[in-house]
Amino acid sequence: MAKKFISFLFSIIVLSSVNLFAEDNLIKIESHWAMSHSSMDEPDGKYVKMPGFVPVPSKNAFWINTETEIPAEFMNKPLYIETGSTNVAMEIYINGTFAGSHGTIEPKLSVNHVTNTLVRVPDEFKKDGKIRISIKCKTHWSHANFSQFYFTDEARYYKCFTKQNFLNTTIYYMMAAICIFLSIYFILQLVSDHREHSSLYFSWSLLFIGIYFFDMATDILFIPANLQLSISRYCLLLSMGTLSLFIFRFFGHRAKLPKYIIFVVFAIFGILYYINSKSAINHENIFTISLAPVFGAIIFIYITLIRSFKNSKINAKILLVGITAGLSFGVHDIIYQATGRIPFAWLQGFSFFFIDMTMFIVISINTIKNKKAINSFAETTSEQKNRLDST
């Protein structure tokens, strides 16, 4: 039954990848981009490679400019420019006229590193068959990480404005709220019952993943963007590590070595993220490397659950099915990354959320069973006491 459920879920995800995330009418803007330190009309002669990492000339805003021809198929229908995800806040101008923004530069810098922006090209600017695009940029990073810019149509705009925004922001806000709420719940449970030490690890895991989800969703910067993203991605590692510690204690394992290894990994990556918090290139490399211990934690969890399942612990079976189903969401992202493409929406967050919710369900079931056992024991004890009193 479990195998059929996993196969069904996997097939649903693959089908959604083909349909919901299929390529739309996108045409790359492949003209040369020139950089300017101070003006949209005075490029410095330095060309910017798109997509890619571009050294930021100063802490102040800078400009990138290009002149490009409009594809013939868009001459008689609405035309949009798509920015893709980036770590740069942008104000976009078409022929010197403001068309839209990605994040904000003034009065305060704000940007989301996963969201996408599409701006409409006014129809009157298409008469000559070409347009000039000028983009004012600002970022806290040492390098601006530009995605590929595209020309696209109205259908793509509507799809991104509705479905993509919902999948990449709204749902992540919801998942963040749920995880942080449950984290507080388990902390309060620990306060009321000091014997529930394992719940502390799970509450930390939920809190850390909640912070990660919130940063994925929001474009609000509480601290400089480079520090906020470093903390957010470090929280993903912390979440999986504390979840491993929780599962280890939940099933009664007391080995100290895994705990020491996990805390050493925490220390190493905490230092690496801090030292490289200004370099966008180094940060991306560290994040990629940090996924190794994240997946290592998942393998560790699997091994622990399999051992517990062999010892006839029914909760282990439920967790195995739930975690496997949750991780199947991540297959979508892996396929896209392996083929060098950017998906319409990232599903890896759904994997971690599904894992944590499976854990919550198992804990709830276990708590109910324990309460029933305690109540049954109390009733039995009360009956025996009454019999003794009556004799």
Side-chain angles (χ1 to χ4, degrees):
M1 182 66 183
K3 291 182 179 179
K4 291 182 179 179
F5 169 74
I6 294 170
S7 300
F8 171 75
L9 185 62
F10 178 76
S11 60
I12 291 295
I13 294 169
V14 172
L15 288 173
S16 68
S17 300
V18 174
N19 295 313
L20 182 59
F21 309 129
E23 293 292 340
D24 294 310
N25 187 11
L26 296 167
I27 297 178
K28 293 181 180 179
I29 301 177
E30 296 184 308
S31 55
H32 294 294
W33 291 82
M35 179 181 287
S36 170
H37 291 340
S38 58
S39 171
M40 71 171 68
D41 299 318
E42 298 178 5
D44 298 336
K46 180 180 179 180
Y47 289 105
V48 177
K49 184 179 179 181
M50 296 287 183
F53 289 93
V54 177
V56 175
S58 69
K59 293 182 179 180
N60 299 320
F62 62 95
W63 292 83
I64 57 173
N65 313 272
T66 191
E67 189 171 78
T68 183
E69 294 185 358
I70 299 172
E73 62 186 276
F74 292 114
M75 289 300 295
N76 296 316
K77 62 181 181 180
L79 173 63
Y80 291 82
I81 295 174
E82 180 171 333
T83 67
S85 59
T86 175
N87 63 0
V88 180
M90 299 184 289
E91 293 178 354
I92 304 166
Y93 296 81
I94 310 296
N95 291 355
T97 301
F98 179 74
S101 62
H102 178 83
T104 63
I105 295 178
E106 300 294 343
K108 185 178 180 181
L109 181 66
S110 67
V111 65
N112 184 300
H113 60 96
V114 297
T115 55
N116 185 16
T117 296
L118 289 85
V119 297
R120 174 77 180 267
V121 177
D123 291 337
E124 58 268 25
F125 293 158
K126 299 194 298 182
K127 295 178 181 178
D128 297 333
K130 60 183 179 180
I131 55 173
R132 180 170 182 79
I133 307 171
S134 303
I135 303 177
K136 186 178 182 181
C137 309
K138 191 172 183 180
T139 181
H140 289 129
W141 294 94
S142 62
H143 290 73
N145 184 13
F146 290 106
S147 293
Q148 178 66 56
F149 286 84
Y150 292 98
F151 285 125
T152 189
D153 55 19
E154 204 165 31
R156 172 72 177 182
Y157 169 78
Y158 180 76
K159 184 178 178 181
C160 292
F161 186 77
T162 55
K163 296 177 183 177
Q164 190 179 57
N165 283 345
F166 177 73
L167 290 169
N168 279 348
T169 57
T170 306
I171 284 185
Y172 277 92
Y173 270 128
M174 294 166 62
M175 292 192 299
I178 292 171
C179 289
I180 293 173
F181 173 80
L182 291 178
S183 172
I184 296 172
Y185 167 79
F186 280 104
I187 290 174
L188 293 176
Q189 187 180 61
L190 179 64
V191 171
S192 62
D193 187 354
H194 297 287
R195 295 170 296 178
E196 293 290 334
H197 295 292
S198 60
S199 296
L200 181 60
Y201 286 127
F202 190 48
S203 66
W204 281 114
S205 178
L206 289 167
L207 178 62
F208 291 137
I209 201 66
I211 294 172
Y212 177 73
F213 288 155
F214 181 78
D215 184 67
M216 289 276 287
T218 188
D219 58 0
I220 301 172
L221 296 179
F222 300 95
I223 54 178
N226 56 314
L227 292 176
Q228 184 163 312
L229 185 58
S230 295
I231 292 173
S232 166
R233 288 180 165 177
Y234 182 52
C235 281
L236 174 62
L237 179 66
L238 294 176
S239 177
M240 292 308 299
T242 49
L243 181 62
S244 300
L245 292 173
F246 166 73
I247 289 179
F248 210 66
R249 294 197 62 172
F250 184 76
F251 288 104
H253 301 286
R254 298 295 180 183
K256 294 182 179 180
L257 181 60
K259 183 177 180 180
Y260 291 147
I261 293 174
I262 289 172
F263 279 104
V264 168
V265 171
F266 286 170
I268 291 173
F269 279 94
I271 294 171
L272 289 175
Y273 271 121
Y274 177 76
I275 293 175
N276 298 279
S277 61
K278 291 185 178 180
S279 172
I281 298 175
N282 291 347
H283 173 90
E284 291 298 327
N285 291 333
I286 291 170
F287 178 63
T288 301
I289 295 171
S290 73
L291 295 178
V294 168
F295 282 107
I298 294 171
I299 293 172
F300 171 78
I301 290 171
Y302 261 105
I303 293 173
T304 303
L305 292 177
I306 290 171
R307 287 178 178 175
S308 300
F309 177 64
K310 288 181 178 179
N311 292 329
S312 301
K313 294 185 178 181
I314 188 63
N315 287 334
K317 182 178 180 180
I318 298 173
L319 287 172
L320 279 172
V321 174
I323 290 175
T324 303
L327 290 177
S328 61
F329 283 100
V331 173
H332 168 267
D333 291 4
I334 293 172
I335 292 172
Y336 269 82
Q337 287 179 320
T339 56
R341 296 180 296 164
I342 297 175
F344 181 75
W346 295 100
L347 298 185
Q348 46 90 4
F350 291 72
S351 297
F352 301 119
F353 181 76
F354 203 100
I355 291 171
D356 283 319
M357 290 307 100
T358 303
M359 286 301 313
F360 173 70
I361 292 170
V362 168
I363 293 171
S364 299
I365 293 173
N366 193 62
T367 301
I368 292 171
K369 288 181 178 179
N370 289 339
K371 286 184 177 179
K372 286 182 177 179
I374 292 171
N375 290 336
S376 177
F377 176 76
E379 289 176 1
T380 302
T381 303
S382 178
E383 289 177 1
Q384 291 177 347
K385 182 179 180 300
N386 292 334
R387 289 175 184 176
L388 289 172
D389 290 341
S390 61
T391 57

